[in-house]
Amino acid sequence: MTEIIHNSDWFQAKGLRNIVDALSKENDGLRIVGGAVRDSLLGLSVSDVDLATKLLPKEVMGRLERAGIKSVPTGIEHGTVTAVSDGKNYEITTLRRDVATDGRRAVVAFSTDWKEDAARRDFTINALYADAYTGEIFDYFSGQHDLNLGVVRFIGDAEQRIAEDYLRILRYFRFLARFGTGSADQEALAACAKGAHGLTALSRERIALELTRLITLPDPVFSVQLMVDHQIFAPFLPELDKAAVERLPSILDREVQHKLAVSLPARLLTLLPRDQVIVDRVSARLKLSNRLREQLTNRVSGDLPTENNIRELAYRKGTSCAIDTAALYTNSNVFALCLERLLNWDVPVFGIKGGDVIAMGVPAGPMVAKTLHLLEQTWINDDFPATDDLLTKLHQIVVELLSATKKA
């Protein structure tokens, strides 16, 4: 196992080596911790590398500065400093122990005890450490064993871990979806169900972030089903659609079958009824970004997709919106027909401007806008003909409008 870590590209990266040399290995003072160790053992790619140290934050920053490495006190009250080395960020946190917790945040004291630091982490698979020089692994709570079995297990008493930070409930189901391969840990499930009420104390942004991370994993179905069964959604998403446990697998199947990219708006909407008022209310409660709110609204408003209107939907709201809406709200046959209509079809640009209308004799003013609107809808209804055909249609519409104006 040591070789797996030591020989990893991320472990040998120049930026990390510079930090390790700057902070020194004296007094067993520096280790890699958490996801980088866990993911390397699973053969997964590593993007973020976190370190833990016995050194106090000011000493960390001082040593980095003397080595010419930029440091930022990103969470210094909790012992975290971010080092910027060779163009990459590395979080370095002083060993800690919890002094007090309220379910949302913790008051910590610095420590020099590695096992004490490990004990305050959430899951056994996240409490794996590796020596920053040799790659030797330190595992205080059988995290490697759980990792090999595909088991996600809280460290120590599950209820106590959750009471320290209720967000760990959502993190449990996310990690279960990502790393779980066996049955769910029953103690963990019971503790999550019992503590779910505490989710109301969390910021909506933290909940939304965990929810989006979970729902966009390759296969979150099992976790979502367990969350529904144990009423985990109730405190923050009482509008949950009962059909979610059927719609989510359907979306995943269609993504795989048709090689579609994962769509966050579509994945989220599997959890909600097709009701614009409800979707807007949930978006506001979870404080979703304006862009995501608009994407959700576009997918639940307007007519249901059909073979005949799918291109108009793509034209007005974008191809991704059209595909998502069809994937969410049509049967397999209609969905296949909709996709076929969009395959190798680029959304065209309506090429007629107000000046073109005026040049044909329509006086500037409201009649120009009316003419453009009629022409655009005719163009859409005729399945977006070429510009020459469009000009012919424009001439016909202008003649009819001017004739009607004269008679009036």
Side-chain angles (χ1 to χ4, degrees):
M1 293 298 180
T2 296
E3 290 76 15
I4 293 175
I5 303 298
H6 187 271
N7 295 331
S8 298
D9 290 341
W10 64 264
F11 189 85
Q12 298 295 337
K14 179 182 177 182
L16 178 59
R17 292 298 101 206
N18 289 341
I19 291 172
V20 173
D21 290 341
L23 298 182
S24 175
K25 67 174 182 178
E26 65 186 15
N27 300 318
D28 186 31
L30 187 67
R31 293 178 184 175
I32 316 296
V33 63
V37 181
R38 178 199 65 220
D39 292 352
S40 285
L41 294 178
L42 290 173
L44 303 175
S45 62
V46 170
S47 55
D48 297 319
V49 179
D50 298 330
L51 300 99
T53 180
K54 292 181 179 181
L55 299 174
L56 294 175
K58 288 185 178 179
E59 178 68 13
V60 170
M61 295 186 71
R63 292 192 181 201
L64 291 173
E65 182 179 353
R66 289 192 291 274
I69 299 172
K70 179 181 177 181
S71 64
V72 183
T74 46
I76 199 165
E77 68 279 4
H78 289 99
T80 301
V81 172
T82 298
V84 183
S85 181
D86 199 32
K88 186 172 176 58
N89 293 346
Y90 297 85
E91 282 197 355
I92 306 165
T93 303
T94 301
L95 301 189
R96 301 172 293 184
R97 58 181 174 83
D98 289 333
V99 174
T101 59
D102 63 4
R104 292 179 297 171
R105 60 184 67 85
V107 177
V108 300
F110 297 134
S111 171
T112 57
D113 187 320
W114 290 104
K115 187 171 182 179
E116 192 173 44
D117 184 76
R120 70 177 300 278
R121 297 179 182 272
D122 47 13
F123 311 118
T124 61
I125 62 174
N126 289 341
L128 298 170
Y129 298 74
D131 184 276
Y133 274 92
T134 67
E136 178 186 358
I137 295 174
F138 299 87
D139 180 2
Y140 301 100
F141 298 102
S142 302
Q144 292 178 86
H145 177 264
D146 290 342
L147 202 61
N148 291 334
L149 293 180
V151 172
V152 181
R153 184 168 57 87
F154 283 97
I155 294 173
D157 182 78
E159 290 186 23
Q160 182 180 343
R161 292 285 83 74
I162 288 171
E164 292 165 355
D165 184 353
Y166 288 108
L167 192 69
R168 287 174 171 171
I169 294 173
L170 299 184
R171 282 174 58 83
Y172 171 77
F173 290 102
R174 173 163 68 89
F175 278 87
L176 182 64
R178 188 177 176 197
F179 300 110
T181 56
S183 58
D185 182 76
Q186 293 305 306
E187 180 187 355
L189 284 179
C192 287
K194 184 176 181 179
H197 63 88
L199 292 170
T200 58
L202 300 177
S203 73
R204 303 297 95 177
E205 293 92 340
R206 292 183 77 197
I207 288 177
L209 180 59
E210 277 301 319
L211 180 60
T212 55
R213 285 174 171 174
L214 164 64
I215 205 70
T216 52
L217 287 172
D219 188 0
V221 172
F222 180 57
S223 282
V224 169
Q225 178 70 70
L226 286 174
M227 291 174 72
V228 172
D229 293 344
H230 291 80
Q231 299 184 15
I232 305 300
F233 286 105
F236 66 92
L237 199 67
E239 300 90 348
L240 180 75
D241 192 344
K242 294 180 180 179
V245 293
E246 299 175 0
R247 192 180 295 134
L248 180 58
S250 175
I251 285 291
L252 266 64
D253 288 344
R254 289 179 176 185
E255 288 173 355
V256 173
Q257 181 181 354
H258 299 283
K259 299 179 181 179
L260 303 176
V262 172
S263 166
L264 172 58
R267 293 281 189 97
L268 285 177
L269 286 172
T270 63
L271 305 178
L272 298 172
R274 190 174 188 269
D275 184 313
Q276 186 173 342
V277 173
I278 289 177
V279 169
D280 289 344
R281 183 168 69 229
V282 170
S283 296
R285 182 191 308 134
L286 296 182
K287 297 184 179 180
L288 303 180
S289 68
N290 290 336
R291 181 172 182 271
L292 182 52
R293 291 188 191 193
E294 181 181 8
Q295 290 174 329
L296 296 176
T297 297
N298 283 340
R299 285 155 175 77
V300 296
S301 59
D303 297 332
L304 286 171
T306 67
E307 179 187 5
N308 296 325
N309 69 13
I310 192 66
R311 284 187 172 178
E312 180 175 3
L313 179 56
Y315 170 72
R316 296 195 182 281
K317 297 182 179 181
T319 302
S320 61
C321 177
I323 292 174
D324 284 355
T325 310
L328 283 162
Y329 306 119
T330 66
N331 61 39
S332 297
N333 291 334
V334 173
F335 179 62
L337 291 172
C338 287
L339 275 186
E340 187 177 345
R341 291 278 288 156
L342 296 176
L343 186 65
N344 298 322
W345 183 76
D346 295 325
V347 176
V349 176
F350 183 60
I352 304 300
K353 307 296 182 183
D356 300 315
V357 177
I358 294 173
M360 288 191 172
V362 177
M367 188 177 291
V368 173
K370 180 179 180 181
T371 303
L372 286 173
H373 175 74
L374 287 172
L375 178 62
E376 182 183 37
Q377 192 58 56
T378 301
W379 178 60
I380 292 170
N381 294 343
D382 290 347
D383 200 21
F384 307 92
T387 302
D388 289 345
D389 295 332
L390 193 57
L391 289 171
T392 301
K393 287 287 184 181
L394 173 60
H395 179 75
Q396 294 173 355
I397 290 173
V398 168
V399 169
E400 291 172 3
L401 284 174
L402 291 177
S403 176
T405 301
K406 289 178 182 178
K407 290 179 180 179

